Amino acid sequence: NTHIEKIPNQPKHVGIIMDGNGRWAKLRGKRRIFGHEAGVIKARELVETSVKIELEALTLYAFSSENWSRPKKEVSGLMSLFERTIEKYTSLLIDNNVRFKTAGDPSMLPKILKRKLEQMESITSENTGLKLTLAIAYGGQQDIINGIKLLIDDHNSQVIDINQMTVESFEDYLSFKDLPELDLIIRTSGETRLSNFMLWQSAYAELYFTKTLWPDFKITSLNKALHNYSERLRKLGK
Ligand code: IPE
Ligand code: IPE
Ligand code: MG
C-alpha cells in the first residue's frame, strides 16, 4: 500500500540520514555500491512523495565529511553514482517544481560533479515547490566552523557587531539558512546517532529512528514516521 496524504500537523522540514545501504547489499551477497544504487531509487521515491504531500523542505544526508575516509573505491563509486543521479533526475526536479540546493564543502568533490550540482542549483533556483537540499561532503561541525570564519570576516570589515549576535543572526552564517526550522530527523538502519548531521539545526528537532535499512524504506515507512511526529508534544522548553 503506497497511499499517503498530507496530514494537518506534519513537519515542515524533514532531514533524513539515509543509512544502511552497505548492510542491505551485504545481506544479498552484493557489493556495497549495489546498496547505494538501491538507495538512490529510494531517495527519488521520497522526493516524489514529499512533493505529493506538500512538504516544504527535505534535506537528504548523502555523504558526510567523515565518509571521505572510506576505501577509495567506495568513495569514487559514490561520486560517479552522484554524477549519474544528478544527470538522470534533473528533469524530474524541474517537472516537480523542486528547488535544489547543496550543503557541504564542495572543494574535494570531483570537478564534473561540482559543476553538475551547481547547474542543478541554478536551473531550479526559481522553483517554488519543495526545497530539496542534498547534504554532500557535509559535516555539522565543519559547517559551524565555516560560519565562524565568515562571521569573523564580517566583524573585521565592520559589517556586523559581534555583541549583537543572536541565535537567529548566527544562522545566517550556516547552511540551510533560508529553510524552515528543522522539525524531524529520520535515521534508518538502527543506529541511534546523528553522525555530524545538522548539529546546530537539530537543537529542537524531533528524532525518529527505525531499524529499516535505507533501501527498504517505503512510503509506508515515511507515513509511519510522519504520523509518529504529528502525535508528539513539542514543548520547546515551555
Ligand atoms: C549510507 O549507507 C550511505 C552513505 C554513508 C554514503 P552506508 O554505506 O553507511 O551503509 P552501512 O551503514 O554500511 O550499512
Ligand atoms: C552517516 O552515515 C552519513 C550518511 C548517511 C550519509 P554513516 O554510516 O557514515 O555514519 P556512521 O559511520 O555509522 O556514524
Ligand atoms: Mg552507515
Side-chain angles (χ1 to χ4, degrees), residues 6-146:
K6 189 175 180 172
I7 49 177
N9 39 353
Q10 74 182 21
K12 287 195 167 100
H13 184 180
V14 178
I16 308 209
I17 304 172
M18 308 182 288
D19 196 16
N21 297 348
R23 276 163 282 175
W24 186 88
K26 197 176 172 199
L27 280 169
R28 283 157 182 79
K30 306 262 188 178
R31 290 173 303 132
R32 295 178 60 85
I33 195 71
F34 182 73
H36 296 314
E37 281 163 4
V40 165
I41 294 170
K42 287 294 148 171
R44 180 213 160 115
E45 200 175 287
L46 189 70
V47 168
E48 288 179 312
T49 306
S50 303
V51 169
K52 231 175 259 168
I53 62 170
E54 295 174 345
L55 207 68
E56 271 189 55
L58 176 68
T59 299
L60 299 177
Y61 201 11
F63 192 86
S64 73
S65 305
E66 289 71 31
N67 288 150
W68 288 118
S69 48
R70 290 197 178 189
K72 267 206 182 86
K73 232 180 114 186
E74 185 176 358
V75 171
S76 64
L78 278 164
M79 293 302 143
S80 91
L81 177 62
F82 293 143
E83 251 176 67
R84 278 178 279 135
T85 303
I86 298 294
E87 189 88 54
K88 196 166 158 197
Y89 293 147
T90 302
S91 58
L92 177 88
L93 296 194
I94 296 170
D95 294 346
N96 281 288
N97 193 23
V98 174
R99 193 205 65 178
F100 177 83
K101 281 197 180 189
T102 57
D105 172 10
S107 63
M108 273 160 73
L109 295 177
K111 275 205 187 74
I112 306 174
L113 174 60
K114 218 180 113 181
R115 203 179 56 231
K116 284 186 178 162
L117 290 167
E118 285 164 4
Q119 277 171 355
M120 182 96 114
E121 285 198 15
S122 77
I123 297 171
T124 64
S125 66
E126 304 288 310
N127 287 352
T128 54
L130 175 71
K131 296 178 171 80
L132 173 65
T133 309
L134 192 69
I136 183 167
Y138 169 86
Q141 292 176 326
Q142 290 81 349
D143 200 56
I144 293 170
I145 291 176
N146 184 57

Side-chain angles (χ1 to χ4, degrees), residues 147-156 160 162 165 170 173:
I148 292 170
K149 286 183 187 161
L150 298 171
L151 172 73
I152 291 172
D153 284 348
D154 276 359
H155 175 71
N156 289 340
I160 53 146
I162 250 156
M165 196 82 233
F170 182 63
Y173 295 93

